[in-house]
Amino acid sequence: MSTGHLTIDLSALAENWRALDAMTDVETAAVVKANGYGMGSGVVARTLARAGARRFFVAVAEEGAAVREALGPGPMIAVLSGHMDGDADLIRDHDLTPMLNSVDQVLRHVESLPRRSFGIQLDTGMNRLGLEPDEWAALRDVALKQMPVLIMSHLACADEPDHFMNQRQLTAFLEMTAGIDVPRSLAATGGLLLGKDYHFDVTRPGIGLYGGRPYENAKPVVTLDLPVAQIREVAAGESVGYGNTWTAQRPSRIATLAAGYADGLFRALSPGIKLYDGETPYPIAGRISMDLITVDVTEMDPERKPEVLTLMNDIQGVDALADVAGTIGYELLTQLSQRYKRSYIE
Ligand SMILES: *Cc1c(COP(=O)(O)O)cnc(C)c1O
């Protein structure tokens, strides 16, 4: 084994979807953008379709085409970037539902693909995508005649339940959609956890499915094992790795693992994280380099020659690692290397 190995627990994924679904009385979709948050969008989508998901969200049309290949006809596949210039063929050929997010996109869609499925994105304050209240007011009657299948907006601060922005956006969404008889969606994982007022007709969790905050009770989905390339003796006073940042205080043993920041293991993870041999933690020694990580295994039984050490497991999950690197679980998951071998357990 020469590359890291991701083990993705599909039953944990499905359980997370069912648990989030059980928290609402409405339909629960699944967000599978960025290759299913790094886990493989086809397998993830098929697993969640079996669990009961009937709507899937991706970021761009190309991702939607891949998910359609995996799912076959039937489930709705919504494209969050809407109908971008040049997307008409992909949208038509793969039966995608663009979430139109500007006046230009609405015009582009009804002109190039009349009578084909679409949704509308409204901006309720995040100022990233979506029609502003005045644009929507001007376009609303025309757009509704074309029969959108979903009207949605997105919360900027839903991972902070007490943030004033949540209520402000909720109020804006209610005002902008008053009297409209089209299914509505406002909540991603964070919004789903804010409670019933935020659920509307469809929720759109992503990160919670994959075991990340803010869904604290999520089942961990990913295990990451890194192969041990060698274990070497280092004398007291010798140093390890770039910049000599680690010096042996005693005769030591160093395991060199075949993964590094080129595999999405940010250099900022260097101080503080552990590599596990089963349940036993060993500290990193020195800096993470591009393709290698060095670990102080002096305390390990010298007879033991583990093939792998584990970086991500139930003890040290994605959020714990993200905290050390000063980032969020989303970033860590979506940077998981294409070099890793992925295997799936049911
Ligand atoms: C990414 C995204 C989601 C999913 O968000 P999570 O925080 O991962 O649950 C839902 N809706 C939109 C518009 C998004 O961009």
Side-chain angles (χ1 to χ4, degrees):
M1 187 197 281
S2 56
T3 68
H5 189 159
L6 277 177
T7 307
I8 294 153
D9 183 344
L10 296 176
S11 54
L13 177 77
E15 243 178 272
N16 288 335
W17 185 86
R18 280 193 285 266
L20 290 167
D21 184 47
M23 288 181 206
T24 79
D25 300 324
V26 305
E27 182 180 341
T28 306
V31 179
V32 298
K33 61 193 179 189
N35 195 27
Y37 289 50
M39 292 177 207
S41 61
V43 187
V44 163
R46 277 197 301 272
T47 302
L48 296 175
R50 271 199 300 274
R54 302 308 292 155
R55 295 188 209 233
F56 296 84
F57 287 84
V58 294
V60 296
E62 286 79 359
E63 294 179 338
V67 172
R68 177 64 73 206
E69 298 286 309
L71 287 178
M76 174 177 137
I77 298 173
V79 181
L80 291 165
S81 60
H83 186 149
M84 311 254 284
D85 198 15
D87 277 354
D89 290 348
L90 272 177
I91 290 171
R92 185 189 51 237
D93 295 349
H94 299 275
D95 188 18
L96 308 178
T97 301
M99 296 289 122
L100 307 178
N101 54 54
S102 67
V103 176
D104 282 352
Q105 285 206 351
V106 173
L107 297 177
R108 177 180 298 140
H109 188 73
V110 300
E111 276 166 22
S112 62
L113 297 174
R115 289 175 301 283
R116 289 202 82 101
S117 174
F118 70 97
I120 296 274
Q121 278 186 80
L122 303 177
D123 179 39
T124 51
M126 191 172 182
N127 283 303
R128 190 178 66 167
L129 286 179
L131 296 159
E132 299 279 327
D134 58 337
E135 293 175 318
W136 177 230
L139 204 70
R140 181 180 150 132
D141 292 342
V142 177
L144 291 175
K145 278 207 192 72
Q146 307 287 326
M147 315 257 273
V149 297
L150 190 70
I151 296 186
M152 60 169 279
S153 188
H154 193 49
L155 298 167
C157 303
D159 57 340
E160 298 174 58
D162 298 327
H163 204 293
F164 70 88
M165 191 69 173
N166 297 321
Q167 182 62 51
R168 178 186 291 185
Q169 288 191 264
L170 175 61
T171 304
F173 192 58
L174 285 166
E175 282 171 12
M176 290 171 82
T177 59
I180 292 179
D181 188 22
V182 174
R184 293 180 290 179
S185 177
L186 180 60
T189 304
L192 192 157
L193 298 171
L194 291 178
K196 211 169 171 14
D197 289 350
Y198 291 83
H199 295 167
F200 292 92
D201 303 296
V202 179
T203 64
R204 316 183 300 269
I207 192 72
L209 306 172
Y210 306 100
R213 283 205 292 258
Y215 180 31
E216 302 284 353
N217 297 328
K219 290 230 174 281
V221 174
V222 194
T223 307
L224 175 56
D225 295 319
L226 304 180
V228 179
Q230 57 166 260
I231 297 183
R232 61 199 295 133
E233 311 285 333
V234 173
E238 286 193 297
S239 56
V240 171
Y242 284 120
N244 286 8
T245 60
W246 190 91
T247 302
Q249 304 300 308
R250 55 179 176 170
S252 299
R253 294 165 65 244
I254 297 294
T256 303
L257 312 184
Y261 60 76
D263 298 295
L265 304 177
F266 307 126
R267 202 160 160 279
L269 286 167
S270 302
I273 65 164
K274 305 282 195 290
L275 278 294
Y276 286 83
D277 180 27
E279 310 260 290
T280 314
Y282 297 94
I284 275 197
R287 285 188 187 149
I288 294 177
S289 43
M290 186 183 292
D291 313 293
L292 297 167
I293 297 179
T294 38
V295 183
D296 180 3
V297 294
T298 311
E299 300 291 332
M300 187 185 285
D301 175 356
E303 294 303 307
R304 251 198 84 62
K305 302 213 162 24
E307 279 183 20
V308 299
L309 294 178
T310 304
L311 179 63
M312 228 184 264
N313 57 15
D314 297 3
I315 311 168
Q316 180 173 258
V318 60
D319 289 312
L321 292 172
D323 287 347
V324 171
T327 180
I328 52 176
Y330 299 73
E331 190 178 23
L332 212 83
L333 289 180
T334 54
Q335 298 306 310
L336 290 171
S337 182
Q338 288 310 315
R339 282 202 289 213
Y340 296 143
K341 179 172 181 294
R342 283 161 170 76
S343 54
Y344 297 90
I345 51 174
E346 292 290 339

